[in-house]
Structure formats: C-alpha cells, structure tokens
Amino acid sequence: MKATFRLADIDELNKRQWISFLSIPLKIESEIVGILDVFTKDTRHFNNSEKNLFNILANFASLCIQKKHFVKDKKEIYDDREKLQDLTAIMLEMTAASEANELWSLLRKGALKLVGSKPRIWIGRLNHQNGKFESVELNNTSELEFGIGITNKALIEGKTIIANDVLSDEWSKTYHKRWPETRSQISVPILIDKVPIRENLDVKAGSKRIGILNIESSKIDNFPETYQKRLLLLARHTALRLERIEFDKKLVAIREIEREITKAKNYDEIITIVIKGITKILEFTWVNISLINSDRTSIKSDYIFGLPKDKKEEFKKMALHNLDSNDIQANIVRTKQIKVPDNDDPGLDKEIFKKFGHEDIIRVFIPMIEPLNNLVIGTVEAGYKREYRQHIYEQDVQILKGFVEHAVHAIERRKSGLIDRITHELKSPVVGIRSHASFLQRRFSDINLAPSTIAIKFEDILTDCDLLLYQIRQIEYFLGRSYSEKPKFESVIVFRDIVVKTVNQLKPILNEYGLHVKGVRYEFGDAARMAILTDKVMLNQVIYNLLINAIKYAEKDPGQFKILLEASEYKENLMIKFKDWGIGVVEEDANKIFEEGFRSLDAIKKVGGSGLGLSISIAIIQQLGGSLKLVNNSKPTEFHLILPKTFKESPNDSFR
C-alpha cells in the first residue's frame, strides 16, 4: 500500500516501491532548512529509538549544510529566532500527537504564536461527502459551503491567498463575511502535495485537500510574506500528520472488515460487507458491483449503492452489457486492469452517463479475479463527487483492491467447500423420498391401506421434493446464478407435519445403525397440535439435522438408544425440545458446536462428518426468526428449538 509522499519524484517512488516513510526537519540554529525523509519498502511503524537515531543523523546533516551553505547572516537568524523556535516546537509536538483533535488544537496554537496580535482564527475540515467545511473546534459548529469566499479559493487553487484589504475592489466580491471588523485575511490550504493518484491506467502525482486555515485581522495589510511561509509549513506538516493518523485508523477498520468477510456465508453477505467497507472507510458515495452471467456472455449490475430504490431497477436494465462490446466493464474483464476513466472515455455508456449524472462523479473500476483460475467474475466500480475530491487516490485504490481480493478469496473458499455442503444438505430430501417410496412399494397391494395414508405419504414425498429443489436453488444462488430466496411462510403444525414425519422417514437410517424407531418417544400435549407461520421446507432441513446427529452419535449399545421429543408453548413461541442419551458434547466444546466445520475429537472418533449440520441449522432458524440452543451437553444432550408463532420480517436495506 503506497503512502503519501512530498519531496520525492512519484515515478521514482513507484519504481523503487517505497511504502512507509519518516520525516525529520533539518535545522540551522532554529530555522528549518530542509527535511530528511526515510523510506522503506514495507509497511513500518518507526519506534522511539529509531526516531531518536534519525534525529541525530538529521542534526549532523544540518551541521554539514551550515558549513557549506550559510544562507543567512547571523543577524537575520537571531532576529527571527523566537518565531522559528515556536514553529519547530509545535511541529515536534505534532509529530508525537496520536489523535486528530490534538493536531487541530496544535495547529491553532501554532498559528496564534506565529501571527500574534490576537487574530481571529477559523479552521475548517473539508467533508468530502457533502462539500462543507466543518469547524474543528468543539464549541464552534459553523460550516462553510465549498466554493464560497477567499477560503475556498485558496483550497481550490492549492495556494495561500493574502487579502490585504477585504473591502477593496480586488476582494470585496470574493470575500465571505464572517466577522464585521475584518479588514485583512490570509487563507492557507491544508493539503498534501505529490500524492500518488490514478488517472486512466497510470499512477501520477496530485494533491489531496484536507481543510483550510483561515486567519482574519481588523487591521489592513496585517499579513506580510513571512507569515505565509511559516503558516504554509505548519499547515503542510499538519496535513501529513493527519493523513498518517487517519491511515492508521483505516488499517484497524480494514482488518475488522476483512474478518467480517471471512465469516460471511454467501454472496449477499460478502458483497454487503465489502460495500460497507467501501462507503464507511473509504467514503465513496457511489458503488456498483457487476457480475458476469454463468454463460460468460454478459455482465450486469447486481449490487448498487448511491441510488434511490426506484432508480436501481432502471439502472440495472440499462447497465447490462455484452462481454464482446466496447463497454468499459467488458474492457476491464478482458484486460484485468484497474482504470480511472476520463469523462470522454469511449467505453462509458453515454446514455447512462447523462441520465444518472455521472459527469459529476470520478470513478475507479477494479476487476474481481478468482485466484485459482485467474478468471474475472465481475467488476467493482466506486466513485464520489469530482467537485470535492478531484482525484482517486492510489492509497484508496490499493485498499479497495484489497477488499475486492479478500471478497473473491472468501467466495472461492466457499465454493471449494460447496461439495461438503451439497452432500450434507441433499441427504435429507433424498432419504425422505426413498423412505416414503419404499413404504408405498411394500404396501401397494394392501387392500386395507387407507387412502388418507397414501395421501399423507404423497404429501410427504412432495415436501421432500420441494426441499430438494430448495437445496438446488441454494447452490445456484451460491454460485451467483440466482438471487437468494426468502422464507415462504405458511401455516404449519410443526410437530405433526415435520417432526413426526422426519422421524418416520429416518427408519432406514435407524436400521443401518442397528437402532429401532421405538427408541424415539414423544410427549404429546396441546402444543404438539399448534400451527405456526413458518417455512415448512427450510424447517424440515433443521429437524433432519438434529435427528440425524442424535442417531449418528448414539451409544454403541442399541439398547441404550433413546430420543425424547417434546412440544411446549414458550411465551409467544413454540418450543421443540430434542433430548438424546448419546455420547454428548464435552464442556469445552459446547460453545463451538455451531461453528461451521467444527467437530469434536469424540465425534471424529465416532463417525465421519462435515461439521456443517448445526451451523446450517442455526442459520436457517435465524432466517425464520427463531433460535437454536444447546441447553444440556450430556445425559441427556438437550437442544431447544424456539420459533415465533407469527413471524414479522424486519425491513432490511438492500444493495440489490
């Protein structure tokens, strides 16, 4: 990740791959005559002993400069000594500061000392998302619109501006009145020069706007040129230190986002977390994530941030492009390059460009490349208003690229574990269909078989077919070929229609383990006949997972096999209790059993498995608005499945 540089040539920095740096002022007497910059090729946090060592080297270099080039006579140096000592002291304090508020306070303190005469000082931090200058003082909440007054002129032009008389013809139309007594003003931009930026496919040098130091006086012509030089040096040093502090905060936030991505379960969750990182940490106000279709013939927008809901669908329809077209996204897929296009780039869709106001946005396009096969699966487009930030900064591009790579890696890892998930989840409906078909085959010639029994069996077979289709749709969704399905709520008598039904369909599995269905007992009550609103197909998968675990981890002695199933009312919920007298869960593993892929040593010794059943189950139950808890870990092992009688879906802001 490239850092922000000031004094070195940007092409040289890229060529040498310099990343972190340390800056030490070179001083003759109390005057700063230069800066010693130390660069490294990896991310580095210099400790105090290293800083002290480079301070000694800087002092030695200053002595050498003093012997060869004495740029001022002694009298001038001593006349200006006090102000320069103040400047040096403030800059050293800034070097040690670790909080942004501390730096803003030191900037104000330094400006007061350098200017004197009790001037009026207003320091504004530029909010890059809305273009307002926000006061950095806690007791001053005033704002200034971007583009207004001498203050803005200084920041836009990137240079210090001195208005010797704000009421003169030269300045009266530009001056924005803040204090009625003001007659002269100096505005110093707080910015960083020679920041690496992206333009098209290249990395160049630009500047980064951070804020403004505004000083006003009731006297005409109160700011000589010497003030300008000192304040400019102070403002530049403040900008560098602020950038470093903000970058350190970004690193902490980035690590947290990456951890969230690693834990995410599917496309939607991964992409939602990535968009959160792009908008919250990097402050992009426009994000468009486009994915390639399964036939690899076209690319379309799937996830959008920065448009109202009613405009998203219209945008998606217009933003569908063939991969063999000249569209910029198709080009990014072919070249696998990162690009910040100009407004006149031929790859930009002019109709979309005009309709959605993209001429005001500066954007970067990044390919989503799968690491194993080097295949592009989509693109990430991120941008913000050009008016407030005239560049896409290379540091942000590298952070954004890191987000994208981390997300694609997470998707790749999920895909590599998909076979285990498919195998596990498809067992439930397949076992059910086989069991019901076997029953009907055995009893087909039984003239006493009631039509109602046949109807129930066919209904169960259809339920299992629905579950099988649901699993296939889940696989298609995870592969990015369809949207995630929301639960389909209907009135279901859970105990009768799902619990008892699943026990019956597991009879062949019980026989394989040498167990008997008589070991499964029920405690019927009013709650067993309770109908609730839930998704019958999804809940079927959970019940199957809990029961199959009780069967697989039963004690070796078939005579000890026992499962007890109970239904009861719990507040506004239905609670199903699952108790079994199998090998149980050791105390230290009790908090881990719902983690994806986790299996205890006892479980591994007992039988093979993927460690997915409980993690899948708890994810489904959460979608249904309920909870799944391990209440007792041994003799009996007891799980409580709690489901609301009526589920109300909470509104969820979607990037779709």
Side-chain angles (χ1 to χ4, degrees):
M1 201 165 301
K2 292 182 174 66
T4 306
F5 306 100
R6 299 173 297 109
L7 302 178
D9 180 78
I10 191 66
D11 294 330
E12 192 68 19
L13 295 180
N14 293 329
K15 178 182 174 183
R16 295 177 181 271
Q17 296 182 321
W18 284 332
I19 295 175
S20 298
F21 78 100
L22 173 70
S23 289
I24 310 287
L26 305 181
K27 297 176 288 184
I28 296 176
E29 298 288 342
S30 60
E31 183 179 26
I32 295 174
V33 296
I35 293 178
L36 169 65
D37 281 345
V38 181
F39 297 90
T40 67
K41 288 190 175 183
D42 53 7
T43 303
R44 184 184 185 90
H45 296 277
F46 295 93
N47 58 41
N48 288 332
S49 60
E50 289 172 327
K51 290 176 183 176
N52 290 334
L53 174 62
F54 285 119
N55 268 319
I56 293 170
L57 291 174
N59 290 335
F60 180 75
S62 299
L63 288 174
C64 294
I65 293 170
Q66 188 175 17
K67 285 183 179 180
K68 287 191 173 184
H69 307 287
F70 201 81
V71 296
K72 279 188 171 186
D73 61 47
K74 283 278 185 180
K75 186 176 184 304
E76 286 181 83
I77 291 175
Y78 283 108
D79 286 346
D80 215 19
R81 170 176 291 182
E82 186 177 345
K83 297 292 184 187
L84 292 173
Q85 282 178 339
D86 288 340
L87 178 60
T88 305
I90 290 292
M91 290 176 70
L92 287 173
E93 279 190 73
M94 285 181 169
T95 303
S98 58
E99 294 293 333
N101 287 340
E102 190 178 356
L103 276 173
W104 291 119
S105 178
L106 287 169
L107 174 60
R108 181 179 181 80
K109 175 182 172 183
L112 279 169
K113 284 193 173 184
L114 292 177
V115 175
S117 303
K118 296 183 179 179
R120 294 183 175 92
I121 295 177
W122 186 83
I123 302 171
R125 173 181 50 228
L126 180 61
N127 183 320
H128 291 104
Q129 292 184 305
N130 61 23
K132 294 183 184 294
F133 286 100
E134 300 167 346
S135 175
V136 300
E137 297 177 78
L138 295 177
N139 60 349
N140 187 344
T141 58
S142 62
E143 293 179 340
L144 184 65
E145 293 286 344
F146 188 82
I148 295 175
I150 297 169
T151 300
N152 282 271
K153 182 178 174 64
L155 190 61
I156 291 169
E157 295 181 4
K159 64 181 183 182
T160 302
I161 292 179
I162 298 176
N164 292 317
D165 184 356
V166 297
L167 301 182
S168 67
D169 292 341
E170 181 183 2
W171 297 109
S172 59
K173 291 182 180 179
T174 308
Y175 172 64
H176 175 74
K177 189 174 182 180
R178 183 173 292 276
W179 291 289
E181 300 88 359
T182 295
R183 291 304 302 273
S184 59
Q185 175 179 327
I186 181 170
S187 293
V188 185
I190 303 169
L191 54 78
I192 306 170
D193 290 320
K194 294 189 177 179
V195 180
I197 62 169
R198 281 272 177 159
E199 282 188 6
N200 286 310
L201 301 174
D202 303 319
V203 179
K204 299 181 178 180
S207 61
K208 187 171 186 178
R209 301 165 175 169
I210 292 177
I212 199 78
L213 169 62
N214 193 74
I215 306 175
E216 300 179 28
S217 172
S218 58
K219 298 178 182 177
I220 294 176
D221 201 14
N222 195 48
F223 302 106
E225 192 175 331
T226 52
Y227 285 13
Q228 176 180 337
K229 292 178 180 178
R230 295 169 192 159
L231 291 170
L232 183 62
L233 183 58
L234 186 63
R236 291 294 192 273
H237 190 66
T238 303
L240 287 169
R241 290 299 304 141
L242 282 168
E243 181 73 356
R244 182 70 234 184
I245 288 171
E246 289 304 312
F247 180 68
D248 288 343
K249 287 182 177 178
K250 279 183 183 179
L251 284 180
V252 174
I254 289 164
R255 296 291 88 82
E256 181 58 36
I257 289 289
E258 288 177 348
R259 282 192 289 270
E260 287 185 42
I261 291 173
T262 302
K263 294 176 183 177
K265 299 291 189 300
N266 51 49
Y267 258 84
D268 270 344
E269 197 174 343
I270 290 170
I271 299 298
T272 299
I273 294 167
V274 169
I275 291 176
K276 183 175 82 169
I278 294 172
T279 56
K280 299 295 183 185
I281 298 175
L282 301 180
E283 297 183 332
F284 283 99
T285 55
W286 163 256
V287 183
N288 172 27
I289 298 180
S290 300
L291 300 175
I292 295 172
N293 68 345
S294 57
D295 298 328
R296 297 195 64 80
T297 57
S298 64
I299 184 167
K300 66 182 180 70
S301 296
D302 276 288
Y303 302 84
I304 299 170
F305 176 90
L307 279 180
K309 250 181 185 177
D310 58 330
K311 294 284 183 79
K312 285 183 181 180
E313 290 307 315
E314 185 181 7
F315 180 88
K316 287 179 184 180
K317 287 178 183 177
M318 294 180 67
L320 174 63
H321 297 98
N322 292 329
L323 286 183
D324 58 0
S325 69
N326 293 323
D327 181 74
I328 189 167
Q329 289 175 314
N331 183 260
I332 297 296
V333 172
R334 289 193 293 269
T335 62
K336 300 178 182 177
Q337 292 179 306
I338 297 172
K339 188 173 186 179
V340 176
D342 297 323
N343 276 357
D344 57 357
D345 191 293
L348 294 172
D349 189 313
K350 301 304 179 187
E351 191 178 355
I352 292 177
F353 200 72
K354 185 177 180 180
K355 187 174 185 65
F356 294 95
H358 284 177
E359 66 272 8
D360 298 330
I361 298 176
I362 182 169
R363 295 169 290 165
V364 58
F365 291 82
I366 294 182
M368 300 171 68
I369 305 173
E370 286 187 333
L372 291 180
N373 54 23
N374 199 33
L375 194 69
V376 179
I377 61 172
T379 62
V380 174
E381 172 191 358
Y384 38 59
K385 280 205 170 185
R386 192 184 298 269
E387 183 182 4
Y388 311 137
R389 280 178 286 195
Q390 67 271 48
H391 305 299
I392 296 282
Y393 306 109
E394 179 63 11
Q395 185 186 86
D396 289 347
V397 170
Q398 294 303 319
I399 293 174
L400 185 56
K401 181 171 176 281
F403 278 152
V404 172
E405 288 175 351
H406 207 80
V408 175
H409 274 272
I411 292 169
E412 187 72 25
R413 284 194 299 272
R414 292 293 172 195
K415 284 183 179 178
S416 66
L418 193 56
I419 293 175
D420 283 341
R421 182 177 286 270
I422 293 170
T423 303
H424 187 283
E425 294 200 36
L426 293 186
K427 281 179 181 177
S428 168
V430 171
V431 166
I433 292 169
R434 186 182 71 169
S435 173
H436 302 312
S438 173
F439 174 86
L440 291 172
Q441 184 185 46
R442 291 195 314 271
R443 304 291 300 276
F444 186 75
S445 60
D446 188 346
I447 59 173
N448 295 318
L449 188 61
S452 60
T453 302
I454 297 175
I456 289 171
K457 285 298 176 184
F458 275 121
E459 185 179 340
D460 288 344
I461 289 174
L462 289 173
T463 297
D464 287 320
C465 288
D466 287 340
L467 179 55
L468 194 58
L469 290 171
Y470 165 76
Q471 304 298 3
I472 291 169
R473 288 193 295 269
Q474 288 294 95
I475 293 165
E476 288 177 336
Y477 160 64
F478 192 82
L479 292 173
R481 296 173 186 169
S482 68
Y483 293 132
S484 175
E485 287 195 8
K486 294 183 178 180
K488 296 175 182 176
F489 293 95
E490 59 181 319
S491 181
V492 179
I493 300 176
V494 173
F495 208 78
R496 183 195 70 189
D497 295 344
I498 303 180
V499 177
V500 176
K501 170 250 180 191
T502 305
V503 171
N504 290 333
Q505 77 184 42
L506 284 171
K507 286 179 182 178
I509 301 294
L510 286 166
N511 291 333
E512 287 177 17
Y513 280 84
L515 305 172
H516 200 279
V517 72
K518 289 182 179 179
V520 183
R521 299 177 184 177
Y522 308 100
E523 284 202 4
F524 291 100
D526 291 340
R529 294 184 289 274
M530 182 189 297
I532 67 170
L533 285 178
T534 190
D535 187 305
K536 184 177 181 180
V537 172
M538 294 175 71
L539 189 55
N540 195 110
Q541 179 71 61
V542 176
I543 302 298
Y544 173 87
N545 288 342
L546 291 170
L547 289 172
I548 200 69
N549 277 353
I551 294 169
K552 287 196 301 183
Y553 301 120
E555 294 285 7
K556 290 183 179 180
D557 182 0
Q560 299 296 315
F561 172 67
K562 185 169 66 170
I563 297 176
L564 179 62
L565 303 168
E566 303 175 31
S568 61
E569 272 193 84
Y570 176 71
K571 297 181 180 178
E572 294 300 315
N573 305 289
L574 169 67
M575 181 161 66
I576 309 291
K577 297 180 181 179
F578 296 79
K579 299 179 183 179
D580 72 77
W581 280 257
I583 64 172
V585 180
V586 295
E587 191 73 38
E588 54 268 30
D589 292 339
N591 294 326
K592 302 176 185 176
I593 59 170
F594 292 106
E595 294 177 8
E596 184 172 329
F598 175 78
R599 299 191 72 226
S600 67
L601 290 175
D602 289 345
I604 293 170
K605 292 175 185 177
K606 175 75 176 174
V607 68
S610 62
L612 293 172
L614 288 176
S615 65
I616 291 170
S617 298
I618 201 164
I620 290 173
I621 290 303
Q622 286 171 352
Q623 279 186 278
L624 300 178
S627 61
L628 178 61
K629 299 177 181 178
L630 173 65
V631 177
N632 196 55
N633 61 300
S634 184
K635 306 298 181 188
T637 305
E638 184 173 351
F639 287 91
H640 287 184
L641 172 59
I642 301 171
L643 290 164
K645 295 176 185 176
T646 303
F647 178 68
K648 291 183 180 178
E649 189 176 8
S650 59
N652 183 25
D653 184 30
S654 173
F655 296 113
R656 284 285 192 180

